Amino acid sequence: MDLKLEDLKKYNHIHLIGIGGISMSAVAETLKNWNFKVTGSDATQSDITQRLEQHGITVTIGHDLENSKIADMIIYSAAIKENDPEMILAKENNIPLIDRGKFVGYLTKLYDESICVAGTHGKTTTTSMLSVCFINAEKDPSIEVGGILKEIEGNYRVGNSEYFILESCEYMGNFLKFFPNTEIILNIDNDHLDYYKTFDNILKTFKDFATLLDPNGLLVVNGDDKNCYNLKEFTKANFLSYGIENENADFVAKNISFDKNGFASFEVYKNNKFYLTLSLSVPGKHNILNALATVVTCDYYKISKEVIQASLANFTGVSRRAEYKGCFNNISVFDDYGHHPTEIKATSDAIKNKTYNKSWVVFQPHTYSRTKNLLDDFANSLLDFDNIIVLDIYAAREENIYNISSKDLVEKINSLGKNALYIPDFDKVVSYIKENATPNDLVLTLGAGTVTNIGPMLLK
């Protein structure tokens, strides 16, 4: 289905298959806010589906054959297969079908300034930082972000201005369906190899993304990542870069220091001239880069230095990004969404700047294909933790056709001289940590799946 700008008002009842996904739920909430009748279905109940219901959206756990038969339009997520019963029923009843990526692309057409935040890592945090700055600058943006941002009490915001800030995922080339006015590309790394197969295919997709910009648009890139920096060859749009190592970038962070929480303070130079000083309230060197991407974009859109400084100083992060969950027996518990070796290493390096006794990580690998393809990288990324516990692989959208298990990861870590434990049972993980962790230790639950449930179990 191709959707034209004037078409949406023709559809009264819109049904979403896979409504519990972070992006799908934002679409659902946006449509509800625009006074459409919105229903949806998802395989599992979650905090997101419960919040949707609290906001007046009917959510069926399992298949919803009733609403999929009578809806005026159906939006489906990338995880939904052709043989899904609701998809089959919709086709039998000639219900218009549109995938999530194409629908979000349609939304980007509605705004004069669609600002797309892309890259393998850091999208959610950078989208959130940028959103907070635009809100505090009273630019009244619409927002879609892949996490729960407390400043907007959720993962979306419907504004009344020309600005639409959205997290833009490269999986299956989804962001190629968007119509961006500004692109921020944070980094390009090996991921989603179940779909892309090779890094060259990933790189080509980002090049194609850069070509979507017209000459009046803006491309903001990480100048420390040469694959990002080289994207300037694929666009005629305005081009701005930032970095720490690359002193030829337009915006550069200098004189960096960290406090006991791992929070950075640093000076930003624009075109080799002092621009402003920033102090962050989120840990790690990777967040300096996320903040720089935000500064570059805000400067382009004429947001004042004072708003940028105050917004980033007060930004304490988004859900599941090195999020502090609480403390038991003087042991601090953090939770992080990191599910790629580069993300794990960035989180590990950020934690090193904190003050603690011993570190514990409970890691849940995410998807069989990623674990298989990046096994050595995963093992090496976990070595800096003092204690390592590995859960079973979270399958997500996959079947295990890769002959891989978490035991393989544990064996690889052990072969590198570190003692890792395979404990698949959550209750046993909690018991083991409570019996062996000591005061002033730090526990990190890590992964994109259900590992996030362990922190509350420890604190309980």
Side-chain angles (χ1 to χ4, degrees), residues 344-375:
I344 295 169
K345 187 68 171 64
T347 301
S348 172
D349 288 345
I351 281 175
K352 285 180 190 175
N353 291 310
K354 292 182 178 290
T355 302
Y356 59 88
N357 180 26
K358 296 284 187 181
S359 62
W360 294 74
V361 65
V362 182
F363 176 56
Q364 183 181 49
H366 190 264
T367 73
Y368 301 109
S369 60
R370 186 182 285 117
T371 308
K372 177 77 170 181
N373 289 319
L374 302 175
L375 184 69

Tab-separated table of all heavy atoms in Angstrom, residues 344-375:
chain	number	residue	atom	x	y	z
A	344	ILE	N	28.515	-2.879	24.509
A	344	ILE	CA	28.957	-3.454	25.783
A	344	ILE	C	30.271	-2.831	26.213
A	344	ILE	O	30.466	-2.479	27.383
A	344	ILE	CB	29.075	-4.981	25.667
A	344	ILE	CG1	27.699	-5.608	25.421
A	344	ILE	CG2	29.713	-5.578	26.922
A	344	ILE	CD1	27.742	-7.068	25.032
A	345	LYS	N	31.196	-2.685	25.263
A	345	LYS	CA	32.502	-2.083	25.586
A	345	LYS	C	32.324	-0.642	26.031
A	345	LYS	O	32.983	-0.191	26.988
A	345	LYS	CB	33.411	-2.146	24.358
A	345	LYS	CG	34.854	-1.709	24.628
A	345	LYS	CD	35.544	-2.708	25.542
A	345	LYS	CE	37.049	-2.438	25.655
A	345	LYS	NZ	37.384	-1.155	26.283
A	346	ALA	N	31.444	0.100	25.376
A	346	ALA	CA	31.205	1.490	25.767
A	346	ALA	C	30.632	1.574	27.173
A	346	ALA	O	31.044	2.423	27.980
A	346	ALA	CB	30.259	2.161	24.772
A	347	THR	N	29.703	0.682	27.499
A	347	THR	CA	29.122	0.663	28.842
A	347	THR	C	30.158	0.239	29.880
A	347	THR	O	30.238	0.815	30.965
A	347	THR	CB	27.916	-0.295	28.880
A	347	THR	OG1	26.948	0.136	27.919
A	347	THR	CG2	27.271	-0.308	30.254
A	348	SER	N	30.961	-0.768	29.536
A	348	SER	CA	32.029	-1.222	30.430
A	348	SER	C	33.016	-0.089	30.713
A	348	SER	O	33.411	0.139	31.870
A	348	SER	CB	32.752	-2.412	29.797
A	348	SER	OG	33.900	-2.753	30.531
A	349	ASP	N	33.410	0.640	29.662
A	349	ASP	CA	34.345	1.757	29.854
A	349	ASP	C	33.722	2.859	30.699
A	349	ASP	O	34.414	3.494	31.513
A	349	ASP	CB	34.763	2.328	28.495
A	349	ASP	CG	35.701	1.397	27.728
A	349	ASP	OD1	36.249	0.465	28.351
A	349	ASP	OD2	35.861	1.591	26.514
A	350	ALA	N	32.418	3.094	30.513
A	350	ALA	CA	31.740	4.117	31.311
A	350	ALA	C	31.721	3.736	32.781
A	350	ALA	O	31.934	4.583	33.665
A	350	ALA	CB	30.320	4.323	30.787
A	351	ILE	N	31.492	2.458	33.054
A	351	ILE	CA	31.420	1.988	34.437
A	351	ILE	C	32.781	2.094	35.128
A	351	ILE	O	32.864	2.349	36.336
A	351	ILE	CB	30.870	0.548	34.458
A	351	ILE	CG1	29.353	0.591	34.286
A	351	ILE	CG2	31.242	-0.178	35.743
A	351	ILE	CD1	28.707	-0.756	34.166
A	352	LYS	N	33.862	1.931	34.364
A	352	LYS	CA	35.200	2.030	34.954
A	352	LYS	C	35.426	3.369	35.634
A	352	LYS	O	36.230	3.477	36.566
A	352	LYS	CB	36.261	1.849	33.863
A	352	LYS	CG	36.452	0.427	33.393
A	352	LYS	CD	37.538	0.412	32.325
A	352	LYS	CE	37.618	-0.925	31.632
A	352	LYS	NZ	38.594	-0.903	30.513
A	353	ASN	N	34.749	4.400	35.166
A	353	ASN	CA	34.923	5.731	35.737
A	353	ASN	C	34.111	5.943	37.011
A	353	ASN	O	34.225	6.997	37.642
A	353	ASN	CB	34.542	6.793	34.703
A	353	ASN	CG	35.521	6.853	33.546
A	353	ASN	OD1	36.720	6.919	33.752
A	353	ASN	ND2	35.016	6.814	32.322
A	354	LYS	N	33.274	4.970	37.367
A	354	LYS	CA	32.513	5.049	38.609
A	354	LYS	C	33.352	4.505	39.770
A	354	LYS	O	34.332	3.784	39.566
A	354	LYS	CB	31.206	4.251	38.488
A	354	LYS	CG	30.195	4.840	37.514
A	354	LYS	CD	28.910	4.028	37.495
A	354	LYS	CE	27.884	4.628	36.576
A	354	LYS	NZ	27.339	5.901	37.083
A	355	THR	N	32.931	4.822	40.968
A	355	THR	CA	33.614	4.320	42.161
A	355	THR	C	32.833	3.130	42.720
A	355	THR	O	31.652	3.255	43.053
A	355	THR	CB	33.706	5.431	43.227
A	355	THR	OG1	34.405	6.547	42.674
A	355	THR	CG2	34.424	4.929	44.460
A	356	TYR	N	33.480	1.962	42.795
A	356	TYR	CA	32.842	0.750	43.317
A	356	TYR	C	33.924	-0.255	43.700
A	356	TYR	O	35.119	-0.040	43.437
A	356	TYR	CB	31.881	0.150	42.281
A	356	TYR	CG	32.546	-0.213	40.972
A	356	TYR	CD1	33.117	-1.459	40.782
A	356	TYR	CD2	32.596	0.714	39.930
A	356	TYR	CE1	33.743	-1.772	39.585
A	356	TYR	CE2	33.212	0.400	38.741
A	356	TYR	CZ	33.790	-0.843	38.564
A	356	TYR	OH	34.416	-1.157	37.395
A	357	ASN	N	33.511	-1.371	44.296
A	357	ASN	CA	34.440	-2.420	44.700
A	357	ASN	C	34.660	-3.397	43.538
A	357	ASN	O	35.603	-3.289	42.792
A	357	ASN	CB	33.897	-3.134	45.951
A	357	ASN	CG	34.825	-4.236	46.435
A	357	ASN	OD1	36.021	-4.192	46.184
A	357	ASN	ND2	34.260	-5.214	47.122
A	358	LYS	N	33.737	-4.344	43.348
A	358	LYS	CA	33.799	-5.306	42.247
A	358	LYS	C	32.584	-5.110	41.329
A	358	LYS	O	31.511	-4.714	41.779
A	358	LYS	CB	33.794	-6.746	42.776
A	358	LYS	CG	35.008	-7.112	43.630
A	358	LYS	CD	36.236	-7.334	42.767
A	358	LYS	CE	37.396	-7.864	43.605
A	358	LYS	NZ	38.622	-8.060	42.793
A	359	SER	N	32.759	-5.407	40.071
A	359	SER	CA	31.652	-5.298	39.123
A	359	SER	C	31.102	-6.676	38.772
A	359	SER	O	31.850	-7.660	38.677
A	359	SER	CB	32.109	-4.585	37.844
A	359	SER	OG	33.134	-5.317	37.191
A	360	TRP	N	29.792	-6.718	38.586
A	360	TRP	CA	29.080	-7.930	38.165
A	360	TRP	C	28.279	-7.597	36.906
A	360	TRP	O	27.617	-6.565	36.849
A	360	TRP	CB	28.092	-8.381	39.238
A	360	TRP	CG	28.721	-8.846	40.518
A	360	TRP	CD1	29.298	-8.071	41.483
A	360	TRP	CD2	28.820	-10.191	40.975
A	360	TRP	NE1	29.748	-8.851	42.524
A	360	TRP	CE2	29.461	-10.169	42.237
A	360	TRP	CE3	28.408	-11.420	40.453
A	360	TRP	CZ2	29.718	-11.318	42.964
A	360	TRP	CZ3	28.651	-12.568	41.176
A	360	TRP	CH2	29.304	-12.523	42.415
A	361	VAL	N	28.335	-8.479	35.929
A	361	VAL	CA	27.483	-8.313	34.760
A	361	VAL	C	26.651	-9.578	34.564
A	361	VAL	O	27.162	-10.699	34.689
A	361	VAL	CB	28.287	-8.002	33.482
A	361	VAL	CG1	29.197	-9.149	33.070
A	361	VAL	CG2	27.356	-7.625	32.330
A	362	VAL	N	25.357	-9.376	34.325
A	362	VAL	CA	24.466	-10.478	33.940
A	362	VAL	C	24.058	-10.194	32.506
A	362	VAL	O	23.300	-9.261	32.236
A	362	VAL	CB	23.230	-10.553	34.859
A	362	VAL	CG1	22.360	-11.752	34.459
A	362	VAL	CG2	23.646	-10.650	36.319
A	363	PHE	N	24.591	-10.986	31.583
A	363	PHE	CA	24.415	-10.696	30.163
A	363	PHE	C	23.490	-11.713	29.502
A	363	PHE	O	23.635	-12.915	29.689
A	363	PHE	CB	25.767	-10.706	29.453
A	363	PHE	CG	25.668	-10.498	27.961
A	363	PHE	CD1	25.038	-9.378	27.449
A	363	PHE	CD2	26.192	-11.434	27.077
A	363	PHE	CE1	24.933	-9.178	26.076
A	363	PHE	CE2	26.100	-11.245	25.704
A	363	PHE	CZ	25.465	-10.115	25.202
A	364	GLN	N	22.558	-11.191	28.726
A	364	GLN	CA	21.643	-12.027	27.944
A	364	GLN	C	21.885	-11.749	26.462
A	364	GLN	O	21.500	-10.696	25.956
A	364	GLN	CB	20.191	-11.715	28.304
A	364	GLN	CG	19.171	-12.593	27.599
A	364	GLN	CD	17.744	-12.211	27.999
A	364	GLN	OE1	17.383	-11.047	27.982
A	364	GLN	NE2	16.954	-13.203	28.377
A	365	PRO	N	22.535	-12.659	25.748
A	365	PRO	CA	22.736	-12.446	24.311
A	365	PRO	C	21.388	-12.285	23.606
A	365	PRO	O	20.386	-12.872	24.001
A	365	PRO	CB	23.449	-13.726	23.857
A	365	PRO	CG	24.050	-14.300	25.101
A	365	PRO	CD	23.111	-13.933	26.205
A	366	HIS	N	21.381	-11.488	22.537
A	366	HIS	CA	20.146	-11.170	21.826
A	366	HIS	C	20.246	-11.639	20.381
A	366	HIS	O	21.047	-11.099	19.610
A	366	HIS	CB	19.892	-9.662	21.877
A	366	HIS	CG	18.538	-9.251	21.388
A	366	HIS	ND1	18.318	-8.828	20.093
A	366	HIS	CD2	17.327	-9.214	22.004
A	366	HIS	CE1	17.035	-8.535	19.939
A	366	HIS	NE2	16.416	-8.758	21.079
A	367	THR	N	19.479	-12.607	20.028
A	367	THR	CA	19.381	-13.293	18.730
A	367	THR	C	20.548	-14.252	18.508
A	367	THR	O	21.689	-13.967	18.849
A	367	THR	CB	19.253	-12.341	17.504
A	367	THR	OG1	20.474	-11.696	17.240
A	367	THR	CG2	18.133	-11.346	17.710
A	368	TYR	N	20.213	-15.378	17.901
A	368	TYR	CA	21.205	-16.420	17.623
A	368	TYR	C	22.206	-15.951	16.573
A	368	TYR	O	23.412	-16.200	16.690
A	368	TYR	CB	20.507	-17.695	17.129
A	368	TYR	CG	19.515	-18.263	18.119
A	368	TYR	CD1	18.145	-18.200	17.881
A	368	TYR	CD2	19.943	-18.851	19.306
A	368	TYR	CE1	17.228	-18.715	18.783
A	368	TYR	CE2	19.039	-19.368	20.219
A	368	TYR	CZ	17.681	-19.300	19.952
A	368	TYR	OH	16.788	-19.804	20.855
A	369	SER	N	21.718	-15.274	15.535
A	369	SER	CA	22.613	-14.869	14.443
A	369	SER	C	23.675	-13.897	14.931
A	369	SER	O	24.854	-14.024	14.586
A	369	SER	CB	21.811	-14.240	13.301
A	369	SER	OG	21.110	-13.091	13.735
A	370	ARG	N	23.283	-12.917	15.754
A	370	ARG	CA	24.255	-11.944	16.255
A	370	ARG	C	25.277	-12.638	17.164
A	370	ARG	O	26.473	-12.354	17.082
A	370	ARG	CB	23.527	-10.829	17.006
A	370	ARG	CG	24.428	-9.700	17.446
A	370	ARG	CD	23.678	-8.641	18.241
A	370	ARG	NE	22.858	-7.792	17.414
A	370	ARG	CZ	21.542	-7.714	17.499
A	370	ARG	NH1	20.888	-8.463	18.375
A	370	ARG	NH2	20.867	-6.899	16.716
A	371	THR	N	24.810	-13.561	18.007
A	371	THR	CA	25.723	-14.273	18.904
A	371	THR	C	26.717	-15.111	18.110
A	371	THR	O	27.914	-15.140	18.426
A	371	THR	CB	24.932	-15.163	19.873
A	371	THR	OG1	23.915	-14.387	20.515
A	371	THR	CG2	25.848	-15.760	20.930
A	372	LYS	N	26.237	-15.779	17.071
A	372	LYS	CA	27.098	-16.613	16.237
A	372	LYS	C	28.123	-15.761	15.491
A	372	LYS	O	29.328	-16.058	15.507
A	372	LYS	CB	26.233	-17.376	15.231
A	372	LYS	CG	27.018	-18.244	14.247
A	372	LYS	CD	27.493	-19.523	14.873
A	372	LYS	CE	28.063	-20.471	13.832
A	372	LYS	NZ	28.505	-21.745	14.430
A	373	ASN	N	27.667	-14.704	14.844
A	373	ASN	CA	28.550	-13.898	13.998
A	373	ASN	C	29.583	-13.103	14.783
A	373	ASN	O	30.680	-12.835	14.271
A	373	ASN	CB	27.722	-12.936	13.140
A	373	ASN	CG	26.957	-13.639	12.042
A	373	ASN	OD1	27.481	-14.537	11.410
A	373	ASN	ND2	25.715	-13.228	11.814
A	374	LEU	N	29.242	-12.722	16.016
A	374	LEU	CA	30.112	-11.831	16.789
A	374	LEU	C	30.588	-12.477	18.091
A	374	LEU	O	30.911	-11.782	19.054
A	374	LEU	CB	29.367	-10.527	17.092
A	374	LEU	CG	28.856	-9.740	15.881
A	374	LEU	CD1	28.037	-8.530	16.331
A	374	LEU	CD2	30.005	-9.288	14.988
A	375	LEU	N	30.674	-13.801	18.103
A	375	LEU	CA	30.977	-14.530	19.343
A	375	LEU	C	32.284	-14.051	19.974
A	375	LEU	O	32.335	-13.751	21.179
A	375	LEU	CB	31.043	-16.028	19.071
A	375	LEU	CG	31.252	-16.910	20.317
A	375	LEU	CD1	30.008	-16.889	21.200
A	375	LEU	CD2	31.580	-18.350	19.907
